[in-house]
Amino acid sequence: MKMNEQSEIVLPNVAFAWGTKYHLTTDEFILYVHLQFMRQVGQWNQTMTAIDMLIQNLCLQTKNKQRDKAQVITNLRSLEEKGYIEIDCDGDIKKAFFTVKQVQELLSAEFIVEIYEEGKKRIFKGFTKLSGKLYNLANNDGRALMVIAFIEWRKRIKYDVPKSEWVKLLGIAKSTLETAFKDYEKRFLHIVKGEYYQNEQGEIRQETNSYAVMDKDKSSTKLEETVEKYKVENYLDKMRETVTDNDIRNDNKIFMQIFDRKTYIEFEGYRAWKETNCEYVKREGQKKIDRMLASKTKDGYAGKVVARLETEYLEYIERKKSQQDVLEHMSQKHLEELEAMDGNTSVMDETLEFVTSYIKKDKSDEDFTAFLDDY
């Protein structure tokens, strides 16, 4: 059954909390969503319906009508036991009309379900809006509808879903997941594949995929750019939160040179990466450098850029050291000249004290040799 594309409902996010009593199966999920869309005018949280109507609207008919009814009733009772709905029926639910009321407490931001996995706490609370347009894309497929709704929630909080979570959410094997997603890609799902990288142990890993829901028949030519932009922004936001070096974190130009794969790294970014004390910046910057060194594009051009930057940095260090040596030599020579002017020890001590005091009073936060540098 198709819904008005402009209509909209809200779903409690605890329905996605796998491993808890609130987690809905895909059959329960589509039934619950359908009941919300079927609310009568003037009845904001309840629906009058019948088992036969639900079977027909959800296209659940098989040759065994009694089994069809039993399955729908089982899912209704399960929704009631899990606290999602309340059923009011005066007769035999198989034959009579009955009222289904949505329980509102689950939609509250104060209603929280927490799960702990691998030392991490995951929080499920609040609600996600789902339009009739998105509902129609699922085409009465409960698993597809749950995928669509979960993407809508995770997209709102800028969180890319790993395959391990999809498996738990949908209650299926990884091989089944891959088969299902290939079908969804043809119908409504757009996937931006995560890039491959080499970790510190030399193992090849893939970053988490990003997902977007779209109407394949009405897709925009700019969709891929939109999804890619979301993925990059999400990826960089997570990284920025982890950086402890405020000079890099607050300087977007340098930050992008180190962390963004599409931003050309220049000397200032390379120097910041080499000199930072933030281990996270060191590690992530190294990944970018390693990818550049491994690149074969344009006859290994990226690797040549790294070699040039390293040469420039070594020259910069040497030049800075030479400048420091010159300043130290000039300072020493000045002291020797003062000593030669007056051999009196007390005068020399006073002079030395004066020079030292002068240096301590310079409270500039900037490197006093900066004016000698080219960068």
Side-chain angles (χ1 to χ4, degrees), residues 92-318:
D92 185 352
I93 195 172
K94 288 184 179 180
K95 302 176 182 179
F97 278 88
F98 55 92
T99 301
V100 177
K101 182 179 179 181
Q102 181 187 22
V103 178
Q104 299 298 302
E105 285 75 12
L106 275 68
L107 299 169
S108 170
E110 283 71 42
F111 191 91
I112 300 174
V113 175
E114 298 178 348
I115 60 176
Y116 294 84
E117 292 181 328
E118 300 176 355
K120 297 180 181 179
K121 179 173 70 173
R122 300 180 186 275
I123 298 176
F124 297 79
K125 67 176 182 177
F127 60 85
T128 295
K129 294 181 179 180
L130 191 69
S131 67
K133 181 179 180 180
L134 293 176
Y135 176 87
N136 294 339
L137 290 177
N139 196 26
N140 293 321
D141 180 343
R143 183 188 295 164
L145 185 62
M146 183 170 274
V147 168
I148 291 171
F150 196 62
I151 289 173
E152 287 300 297
W153 176 36
R154 291 316 207 186
K155 179 181 69 175
R156 182 162 51 85
I157 62 175
K158 294 186 176 182
Y159 178 86
D160 291 331
V161 186
K163 290 182 180 179
S164 59
E165 285 193 17
W166 283 121
V167 169
K168 297 171 187 175
L169 174 71
L170 302 174
I172 56 179
K174 187 174 290 188
S175 57
T176 305
L177 174 72
E178 293 173 353
T179 301
F181 272 34
K182 285 180 182 179
D183 175 51
Y184 298 159
E185 279 192 274
K186 299 175 183 177
R187 294 163 50 189
F188 61 82
L189 188 62
H190 185 84
I191 304 176
V192 176
K193 302 291 186 181
E195 294 188 20
Y196 288 91
Y197 66 94
Q198 190 175 40
N199 65 14
E200 295 175 347
Q201 289 71 41
E203 300 168 325
I204 302 300
R205 291 286 185 265
Q206 184 183 16
E207 293 176 352
T208 306
N209 294 340
S210 288
Y211 304 90
V213 178
M214 57 181 284
D215 187 339
K216 291 288 186 174
D217 296 330
K218 303 176 183 178
S219 61
S220 168
T221 56
K222 295 184 178 181
L223 176 68
E224 188 167 348
E225 290 86 347
T226 301
V227 176
E228 179 65 20
K229 182 174 181 291
Y230 157 73
K231 176 179 174 64
V232 170
E233 289 177 349
N234 182 29
Y235 171 76
L236 293 174
D237 285 343
K238 291 178 182 177
M239 288 193 157
R240 194 184 297 270
E241 292 174 0
T242 312
V243 174
T244 59
D245 187 328
N246 289 329
D247 290 336
I248 295 176
R249 179 173 181 166
N250 299 327
D251 190 323
N252 194 59
K253 183 178 180 181
I254 290 179
F255 176 86
M256 294 294 284
Q257 287 183 28
I258 296 173
F259 288 94
D260 184 27
R261 291 176 177 78
K262 294 186 177 181
T263 299
Y264 187 84
I265 186 168
E266 301 175 8
F267 180 77
E268 56 188 351
Y270 191 84
R271 173 186 168 189
W273 166 66
K274 294 283 285 190
E275 297 180 353
T276 185
N277 291 322
C278 176
E279 291 300 323
Y280 184 70
V281 174
K282 285 283 191 185
R283 183 172 70 250
E284 296 302 316
Q286 187 64 58
K287 289 180 182 178
K288 181 170 185 175
I289 296 300
D290 289 344
R291 281 192 292 266
M292 292 175 69
L293 290 171
S295 174
K296 304 301 181 184
T297 305
K298 295 183 179 179
D299 194 27
Y301 175 75
K304 296 175 182 178
V305 170
V306 173
R308 175 176 59 79
L309 289 172
E310 179 64 17
T311 299
E312 290 180 7
Y313 181 72
L314 293 176
E315 291 174 351
Y316 159 78
I317 293 298
E318 183 62 31

